[in-house]
Every structure is written in structure tokens, then in C-alpha cells.
Amino acid sequence: MRVLFVSWAWPSHLLPLVPLAWAFRAAGHEVVVATQPPLLGTVTGAGLTAAPVGSALDHAHLLGNALRPLHPSDGAEAPAGTPAAQRPGRRRRLGLSVRLAEDMTDDVVRLCTSWRPDLVLHEPTTYAAPLAAAALGIPHAPVLWGVNFHAAAQAFEREAFADLCAQLGIEDFDSRGMAAVDPCPPSLQVPSQHPRLGLRHVPYNGSCVVPDWLNDRPHSPRICLSWGVTPQWAGTDDHAQASARQRELITTLAGLDAEIVVAVASRELLGGEPLPDNVRVVERLPLHLVLPSCQLLVSRGGAGSMMAAVAAGVPQLCLPQYPSDLMPAERLAGTGAAVSFGDTPPAPAAVRDTVELMLRTPSFRAAATRLRAEAERQPAAAAVVSQLADMARDFGRRPTDR
Amino acid sequence: MRTLFVCWAWPSHLYPMVPIAAAMRASGHDVLIGCPPSLVPVAVRTGLPSMAVGHDFDLGPVIQRLLLKAKPGASGPRRRDRNGTAPRTPLDSFSDTADAMADGLLEACRLWRPDVIVHDATTYAATAVGRALGIPTVRHLWGIDYTYLQREFEPVAFGPLYRRLGLDEVVVSGETPTLDPCPSGLQLPVDYRPVRLRHIPYNGSAVHDPGLLARSRRPRLCITWGTTSSRFGDDDPVLTMVLEAAADLAVDVVFATTGKEATPVALQPHWRTAVMQPLHLLLPYCDAVVSPGGSGTVMTGVMAGLPQVCLPLLPDQQVTADRLVASGAGLRVTPRDATRASVRDALEAVLTDARHADAARGLREDARQQPSPRDAARFLERLAAGCAPEEA
């Protein structure tokens, strides 16, 4: 069958779809991955067929406007303990998702009309996919990237997408589709009443030539500090100040007897001055290749980093940066595999002390190992492919209620 | 399980292994592609982690001589190798590529510690290194098992390499397990029992071009010189003849090119040119394919159920073309004797004679019945766990 994957053009949203797309191809299905122009090369760089939908929006700017940092440089911080929903970061519910859907929906409809997919799979915030699929009667399902903090948004979808539904001539749509493909181990995931297809998570954080140093055993504990790809300095935050803060954190952590691997999208973020000898800055090195050799991951707890560390069985220290980071970090801490700073500002000395504590407390590693084992017990991609293909075939056989 | 996929430096030898490698990664196995430096950019674009292994050995001049010999106006066969001396075996070029890779591959295996090595059938260094280190190795075919026909030359060609690695006896093709994606109706008869798997076409990745899929009522022919024959660019008189022959027919043509060929003058204005579009995206929207019979093209044509015309230029392409003819799914035109009229007749025959189309669909059914790459992955798991191949 023909299977269309759809994601808006942000790497942490697109990349988790890649291994499942490979599995569909290996089962003999035709696969096309549709995204906005900026990430077409990311799709073809994953060995997959890309299709352009929508336009080259300034995604960093859009995200910067949509997400207000928990600890902005302008000092207008929400008081500690403010529920995520009441923080000033929540500007307009689903505003970014609506903007993206407005950009992509027509092209997704056009692609579905010409290429006629039998199944549409999409990342959860790419509403162009379920909208187009609902308009054309094609079975669809979201593929989650991790802890589903986005689930709460479902209550607001009907209102947010009313205009787009009207344009498409549909009354309503169900973004949850046939079932959620869920790579998150159940003990970590938010409980949901909607059908779930568990998937053994295989991290894909991009492709590269494996550098030689990764094949040697580290001489001291290796700690990975990951920035992910979401721009921490965007919006109300300021690049220079964010950069200075990150340098201070790195320098403080370098005081430990450890090798600090700093994974960044671009080295430029850290300024030109030299860093301590035990710091290794790596640009665009996929995390899933680094983490197996690490004792600890320090990150904001974004889904891509968090899930890659879960798959590697590595304990995590989460330093949430945005309101949406809080709940996943809390859930991960609940498994015993992580410590979360919650909305406490991550003072470098406090972060260093926590890292030190985590390195000498075996329970974190033990919990991370249990979590990895739980993740590995989830059905492998090939099995999920069979299930989804069966569901898509059945979908065509009965009158649709969508 | 850690699986190292090894290939020497041409994409057409790496591509057939990509879907099973990616499928194994998708189910949670660790996978690494090891190849000489010049192939690394191609390997990275599969989405799988890659490592440069050894150094490059340029097979270009050898292949170019073979291509020249096959084309119209060529003089009789001359057997001379790069030093102007008579070659020892037909595998001399591959012993050069094996020598260029062996040390790097030893080092890569020591660093990465694979449980099993899967290699392209002509990447002979992998078998030698695997034997030296006690790592099981598996050949992965790209189509017909042409290398098996040449196995008698392997002890002479690779003896020096094995001795350098401290091994007395050369492990010959067929003695290690073979993963075979070729439908049995096309495959050569062999004396070993292959592990079959379904061929999944992977010819690189690209941005989908919906404009290329639109068709008129006329039959649609895909003309391609593949990634190998087109490496030698320039003005290929055989390709020109094919284009002229197609112009004599009332057909639409998609010319699939790597862009390395000089733009042929014989292209008609209403034809489509697809530059660097993977064939597996084009062929499902065509009615027949004509090519030199490289394995990537032929296997993709088989999976699309298309009848084919082959004008074989290289020795393995000649055998592939003959197998295709025997299956009924294709016709062979020998380039040295080809004329515009003989090519045109062959094209017309595959487009109009339903027997070719029926045989092509039969081959596709045969191919689709093969086990999925998942089963082959299970075989590799058992092999890595130390089970004898016979038990698998």
C-alpha cells in the first residue's frame, strides 16, 4: 500500500517518523514523507522519498513567538509553581499549529489526491494531515514522539481549526485517528483512553559518519549535555545572554572529573572563546550514537533527547526550559531514571551538585535500565507496520464515521 | 545485535543492502555501513551511520575498457591489465579493491565489534577479514549470482590476501551463507541453498516529482543508462541509438539520467527527463524499460512488473540479459551488432507482445512471494548467536 508520512519542518518532530518509514518500506510498501521545503534534505538524507508541502516559513521565529521560556532574560518570570496552562508562554491555544496547518493543508490535500495514499501517518502537531485525511476519507494515525504533553490540546482543536474545517467542507475531524502509535514506555506515558499501538522506540537523530573517538572507551565518566535543536534564545530570550549562561554551565560542569560532550546544532551558539580541556563540543552528531557511551544526559528534556536516552538506558537530568517541558520531565523523574529541576532556574553550581549526586547513586542507572527494558518489550516496528496496514485495509471495508 | 554492512565504492553495490539494513535498525539492532571514503557521502544519505573503511581503488579504467570493447566498432577482445601484462584472473580488479579495504576493515571490526558482517557479493575483503577475526560473514546479492560463476578464480585472486591475514585457505563464494533477493525465475542455478528475501528497490532518495507521473494514452518507455554505465559519460553511441529507435515509435519516453551523460541530441521535445530520480519512483508509472541491464535497473524493473530490453555492456549484464530473455520478461540486443531498426523492433515487441508483459508480471509475483527482510534479519540473529546456517 501507499503510506504518506507528514510533518511540519522541524527536525525533532520529523525525525521520529524515520524508522517507522523504513519499516514500512521494508515490508514492501511505498513510502513518501511530506514536509515543508526547509527539511526536504533531511528526508532525502534519511534515504526516504520527500514531497514538498506548504512553504518555507521562518519556523524558528514562529516557535520563538509560540514558546515563552520559563526563565526569560527579560526577567518577566512567572512565579514558581504557576500551572503550565496559566503561564504567559501560552499566548494563543494551538496558534502555531493552526498557522502551520494553514500553510500545509492545501498541498497535503493535493498530494493525497494525486498520489492516493492508503494510510496517512503524522506527527501530532501537524494538523494538515488529519484534516486532509478527514476531508478525503483516508485512514490516519498520529505517531507520538514521546511523553504526550500535547494531548491536553485536543480539547481546543475543534475551535482552533473551525475555519480550516469549513474551507475543507468538513464538520469535524479527529486528530487522534485510528490509534496513536506510541514509542513511549507505558510507565512513562500519560494515561489515555484512546487506542494505542505500542512501538519499540528506535531513536533516529540524523545520520552521520561515526567519528573515531566514539569507538574508544571514555577514560572518565562521559556526560552529554544536549541543546536539542529548539532555539533556546528565540523569542523574548536573547541569544548573547543564553550563550553566556550555557558557557557558564559548561565551565562549571567541567570542574567534575568527567568528560563533557556538548551536543549542539551549531558551535556558533557557544561563542569563540576556548572551553576547558575535558569539554568536547560536537556539532550535528546524532545523539543516539553518543548516548550509549554516556553515564548521564543533561538536557531540557525535549522529546528527541529524552527518548534517545531512554532507549540507551541512560539516566537523565532535566532542566526544563519551556512550560511544555515540565510535565514530561516530571513523568520521567517519576520512573526513578531522572531528576527534574522543574521550574527552578538551573543555577550552574546546583546542576553540578546534582550531576555529582546522580553519578554516585546507582538507583538512577538501575531505573534507566528498567525503563530501557520496558521500551524494548514494546512491539518492534515491523509488527506495528502489519497492524497499521491491517487497520487501514479494514477502514476501507466499513462505512466511515469520520 | 551489531551488524556491519560492507561494500566497496559503487552505489549500485550498496543500494540493494540498504532496505534490510534500515529495517534492522528500525527493529532496534545496531547497524553500521563500512565503505571506502568515496562512497561515504552516498552511505550517509541512506540515514544509517557510516564509517570510512580502507582506501579507494579506482575500478573506472578497467570498467571503461570493458565498456569500449562492448560498443559498436570495437576491435576484438584484448586481455591486458593495468600494467600491460596478461591478467591472472578475471577477478584481478576485485583483488585490488579487497587489498585496499582489508586493513581498514580489520581495524573497523576491532573498534566496532560486529556480531555479523553482511557484504556485497564482490566485496571479497569482508569474507577474508571475517574469517581472520572469527566473525560470521554473509554475502548479499544484487541480482543474479554472477560472482558465483567466477568462484574457481577466487583461490588464485585472493590467496595473497588470505596469506597476509595468516589464513591458509581462501573462503570461496557459496561457502558462507548468501542472502538472495533475486526471484528464482531469474536467478542462475547454484549448488548452495540461499537465504531468500524480497527485493526492496532502493536507488537513492529524492524529492518526489508528481509531474513525472502524469501520463498520456501512449505507452510510456523508460530509458536509463543506470548509475554505472553512465559514470563514463560522454557520448555513448549505444544510448544515442536507443533514443533514435524510441523516436521512431509512437511512445512517450522518460529519460532517467544521472546527469553525467552528455545531453543526447536525440531527445524529443515532448519527452521527460528525470535527473537523479530514483528508478523505483518512476518505473511504476511506465510500461517498459530499456537499459544496459545493470542489476539495479533490472531488479527495479522486475519489482515494477515491467518487460525490459537490455543492451548489455558488461559481462554480468550479459548474463542478466540472458536470464531475463529466458524468463520471457525481456529481450536482449547485443550492442556491437545493434542497429536502430533492431533496437526499435525489440522495443516494439516488449511494448506490444503481451507475452513479455505477462512474464514480467509473473516475475514480480515470484519476487513478491519471497520472505520479507524481517525473516532474513532473524536468520542473521541466529547466525550471530552461533547457530549453524543449516539449522536456520
Side-chain angles (χ1 to χ4, degrees):
Chain A
M1 69 176 42
R2 281 182 297 273
V3 184
L4 178 66
F5 286 80
V6 195
S7 172
W8 64 283
W10 201 251
S12 51
H13 291 245
L14 173 73
L15 295 178
L17 301 175
V18 167
L20 189 60
W22 288 344
F24 266 98
R25 176 178 67 193
H29 302 294
E30 284 182 65
V31 171
V32 166
V33 182
T35 188
Q36 292 158 308
L39 286 194
L40 292 173
T42 302
V43 175
T44 55
L48 294 164
T49 306
V53 288
S55 53
L57 301 176
D58 184 350
H59 292 99
H61 180 75
L62 287 171
L63 259 184
N65 279 339
L67 298 172
R68 186 176 170 81
L70 286 165
H71 315 292
S73 302
D74 63 14
E77 213 161 309
T82 307
Q86 289 166 28
R87 289 174 182 273
R90 293 259 152 186
R91 296 246 163 92
R92 195 181 127 214
R93 294 211 181 264
L94 290 168
L96 173 62
S97 297
V98 171
R99 177 74 191 89
L100 295 165
E102 286 167 352
D103 183 64
M104 297 169 70
T105 302
D106 283 352
D107 283 350
V108 175
V109 168
R110 210 167 291 137
L111 181 61
C112 288
T113 310
S114 65
W115 194 62
R116 289 174 290 105
D118 302 293
L119 172 64
V120 173
L121 298 171
H122 64 97
E123 76 81 33
T125 63
T126 304
Y127 286 89
L131 283 165
L136 298 169
I138 305 169
H140 58 96
V143 181
L144 310 183
W145 6 254
V147 177
N148 192 13
F149 65 81
H150 189 71
Q154 224 236 324
F156 310 98
E157 286 170 357
R158 193 173 185 154
E159 187 190 335
F161 293 97
D163 289 351
L164 272 169
C165 282
Q167 283 168 34
L168 290 167
I170 51 175
E171 280 183 26
D172 202 358
F173 74 109
D174 187 350
S175 67
R176 299 171 305 171
M178 302 185 294
V181 180
D182 186 0
C184 200
S187 70
L188 178 59
Q189 187 56 286
V190 198
S192 161
Q193 297 303 312
H194 194 65
R196 167 185 181 274
L197 291 178
L199 167 69
R200 176 177 174 177
H201 178 62
V202 174
Y204 177 75
N205 309 114
S207 166
C208 79
V209 179
V210 180
D212 287 344
W213 62 267
L214 262 186
N215 290 310
D216 296 327
R217 206 176 279 275
H219 299 297
S220 51
R222 182 175 284 165
I223 297 166
C224 179
L225 189 55
S226 164
W227 262 239
V229 289
T230 304
Q232 265 74 8
W233 62 90
T236 54
D237 208 347
D238 172 79
H239 188 164
Q241 288 188 52
S243 168
R245 279 210 308 272
Q246 305 294 25
R247 285 188 68 88
E248 194 193 344
L249 178 59
I250 293 166
T251 316
T252 309
L253 285 179
L256 295 167
D257 181 20
E259 178 191 353
I260 315 293
V261 174
V262 183
V264 284
S266 161
R267 198 180 291 260
E268 182 208 356
L269 316 183
L270 297 172
E273 289 146 61
L275 287 159
D277 286 345
N278 58 339
V279 175
R280 187 194 292 276
V281 179
V282 294
E283 257 179 346
R284 300 184 161 278
L285 180 62
L287 268 192
H288 67 268
L289 298 176
V290 187
L291 286 175
S293 66
C294 295
Q295 298 296 312
L296 186 73
L297 170 69
V298 182
S299 78
R300 73 173 176 91
S305 310
M306 182 186 287
M307 292 297 287
V310 166
V314 174
Q316 309 186 42
L317 172 54
C318 299
L319 312 174
Q321 299 280 317
Y322 300 102
S324 57
D325 296 339
L326 291 168
M327 189 271 276
E330 201 176 301
R331 297 225 34 115
L332 186 66
T335 69
V339 169
S340 170
F341 263 52
D343 55 8
T344 308
V351 174
R352 182 199 54 211
D353 293 349
T354 310
V355 167
E356 205 164 23
L357 173 81
M358 290 184 78
L359 288 179
R360 59 185 152 77
T361 311
S363 70
F364 293 107
R365 188 93 206 180
T369 305
R370 279 198 303 275
L371 197 56
R372 175 177 66 186
E374 188 189 347
E376 288 177 352
R377 282 195 302 271
Q378 302 296 304
V384 177
V385 164
S386 307
Q387 278 178 294
L388 282 166
D390 288 346
M391 288 168 80
R393 273 182 217 110
D394 290 347
F395 185 92
R397 289 206 193 102
R398 58 157 196 258
T400 169
D401 54 358
R402 268 157 239 261
Chain B
M1 179 172 60
R2 297 164 74 80
T3 308
L4 179 64
F5 288 83
V6 193
C7 181
W8 65 278
W10 283 0
S12 51
H13 290 250
L14 173 66
Y15 285 165
M17 299 192 289
V18 169
I20 184 175
M24 289 177 69
R25 177 60 196 145
S27 21
H29 293 298
D30 283 315
V31 162
L32 180 70
I33 297 177
C35 57
S38 66
L39 193 63
V40 165
V42 173
V44 167
R45 280 174 57 81
T46 66
L48 298 168
S50 309
M51 184 191 264
V53 165
H55 52 91
D56 284 297
F57 177 83
D58 186 8
L59 277 189
V62 177
I63 303 291
Q64 191 142 28
R65 274 199 299 278
L66 287 170
L67 287 174
L68 282 176
K69 275 199 321 203
K71 287 174 185 171
S75 55
R78 269 188 15 231
R79 291 174 64 82
R80 292 270 175 235
D81 79 354
R82 61 202 176 281
N83 301 323
T85 54
R88 291 177 304 156
T89 78
L91 296 174
D92 284 0
S93 318
F94 289 116
S95 68
D96 288 333
T97 56
D99 286 337
M101 285 186 78
D103 293 324
L105 189 54
L106 276 172
E107 178 66 9
C109 289
R110 285 185 180 127
L111 283 173
W112 198 71
R113 302 177 315 280
D115 298 309
V116 58
I117 299 173
V118 179
H119 63 93
D120 151 68
T122 52
T123 306
Y124 295 95
T127 321
V129 166
R131 179 55 56 100
L133 296 176
I135 302 168
T137 61
V138 178
R139 299 195 310 145
H140 190 295
L141 307 183
W142 15 255
I144 60 156
D145 194 355
Y146 182 71
T147 57
Y148 187 69
L149 297 178
Q150 299 183 318
R151 67 192 184 285
E152 62 180 290
F153 301 108
E154 291 178 22
V156 174
F158 304 108
L161 171 62
Y162 276 75
R163 283 192 290 280
R164 189 156 69 76
L165 298 174
L167 299 166
D168 294 331
E169 231 167 277
V170 171
V171 182
V172 173
S173 293
E175 290 178 13
T176 55
T178 299
L179 294 179
D180 182 5
C182 190
S184 46
L186 190 64
Q187 187 54 281
L188 295 162
V190 293
D191 296 328
Y192 61 82
R193 202 155 60 99
V195 178
R196 296 197 175 278
L197 77 165
R198 191 187 310 143
H199 178 68
I200 306 290
Y202 174 83
N203 304 291
S205 57
V207 177
H208 172 83
D209 179 355
L212 289 170
L213 312 184
R215 8 185 341 168
S216 72
R217 284 165 182 279
R218 277 190 296 263
R220 198 173 205 223
L221 179 69
C222 178
I223 300 176
T224 176
W225 239 226
T227 59
T228 298
S229 308
S230 68
R231 292 177 88 85
F232 306 98
D234 304 321
D235 205 10
D236 186 329
V238 186
L239 174 58
T240 305
M241 193 187 290
V242 169
L243 292 162
E244 286 170 354
D248 292 342
L249 299 168
V251 295
D252 286 339
V253 167
V254 183
F255 177 51
T257 168
T258 59
K260 289 201 180 81
E261 304 95 337
T263 308
V265 284
L267 281 182
Q268 303 294 302
H270 66 281
W271 290 357
R272 300 297 308 260
T273 300
V275 182
M276 288 307 284
Q277 276 283 317
L279 274 190
H280 59 271
L281 301 183
L282 290 177
L283 293 192
Y285 303 89
C286 296
D287 298 300
V289 57
V290 50
S291 74
S295 210
T297 304
V298 168
M299 290 294 282
T300 307
V302 165
M303 295 313 291
L306 297 191
Q308 312 194 25
V309 173
C310 297
L311 294 97
L313 298 166
L314 297 172
D316 68 306
Q317 294 171 344
Q318 288 159 19
V319 182
T320 301
D322 288 342
R323 294 301 303 165
L324 210 50
V325 170
S327 76
L331 291 174
R332 169 182 170 159
V333 180
T334 302
R336 282 177 68 163
D337 315 324
T339 61
R340 180 168 172 168
S342 68
V343 176
R344 183 184 56 222
D345 291 348
L347 295 180
E348 193 154 31
V350 294
L351 284 168
T352 55
D353 188 337
R355 281 174 301 180
H356 296 303
D358 289 345
R361 278 192 292 272
L363 266 191
R364 174 172 62 182
E365 266 328 291
D366 181 2
R368 282 182 175 167
Q369 297 309 315
Q370 305 299 321
S372 80
R374 221 173 144 185
D375 298 307
R378 287 199 194 101
F379 167 79
L380 295 176
E381 281 167 31
R382 287 191 295 266
L383 189 66
C387 302
E390 288 75 26
E391 298 167 31

